Amino acid sequence: MKQLFSLLCLIVALITPSYTAKRSFINPYPRFEHYNDGEDPGEALYLTDIIAKDPLEAQKRAKVEGDGLLGQVQSYAGYLTVNKQYQSNTFFWYFPAEVNVDYAPVVLWLQGMFFYNYFF
């Protein structure tokens, strides 16, 4: 009888966690649909070579224009080359401070590899 009870407890223990885990997780983020404003986003902007030739031209080309999701917020975006040999690039999106510019902190978020995030 003890063996039967132990076997029954083992079966329940093996079955219950998978069922409970699936049912107990509540996703706080609702599903959303892809945002499409009907405009063509254009080609990717790789800035490294442009910066080497003409930094002011790079700044002009990196400026994000339009009303879009951000309204009239000034920002700059593009790709910077990390390793030319492997054609490895990293994306950035820079938002200059709008208030107290001389003392505003700078936040740099770098997405690491193998589940590591770096936040400076």
Side-chain angles (χ1 to χ4, degrees):
M1 188 72 169
K2 280 186 176 182
Q3 291 176 344
L4 181 60
F5 181 72
S6 297
L7 181 61
L8 182 60
C9 288
L10 179 62
I11 291 171
V12 169
L14 291 174
I15 294 172
T16 303
S18 62
Y19 175 76
T20 305
K22 290 177 186 174
R23 303 275 297 159
S24 66
F25 178 73
I26 298 171
N27 186 354
Y29 306 106
R31 293 193 177 265
F32 63 93
E33 293 188 23
H34 177 72
Y35 176 76
N36 183 357
D37 60 2
E39 293 186 27
D40 179 18
E43 295 294 318
L45 178 59
Y46 298 98
L47 289 166
T48 305
D49 292 335
I50 302 170
I51 291 171
K53 294 175 186 171
D54 186 1
L56 291 176
E57 177 64 22
Q59 181 179 0
K60 288 179 198 172
R61 292 183 62 184
K63 186 172 184 177
V64 177
E65 301 285 347
D67 295 333
L69 291 172
L70 302 173
Q72 295 298 326
V73 177
Q74 181 182 8
S75 66
Y76 301 87
Y79 287 92
L80 297 173
T81 302
V82 177
N83 188 324
K84 284 188 178 186
Q85 178 182 355
Y86 296 105
Q87 297 177 345
S88 177
N89 303 285
T90 187
F91 177 78
F92 77 93
W93 197 346
Y94 172 67
F95 294 85
E98 294 181 348
V99 180
N100 207 3
V101 177
D102 292 335
Y103 298 100
V106 174
V107 176
L108 175 63
W109 174 271
L110 300 174
Q111 193 68 22
M113 56 185 274
F114 302 112
F115 306 108
Y116 293 104
N117 294 326
Y118 299 94
F119 188 61
F120 297 101

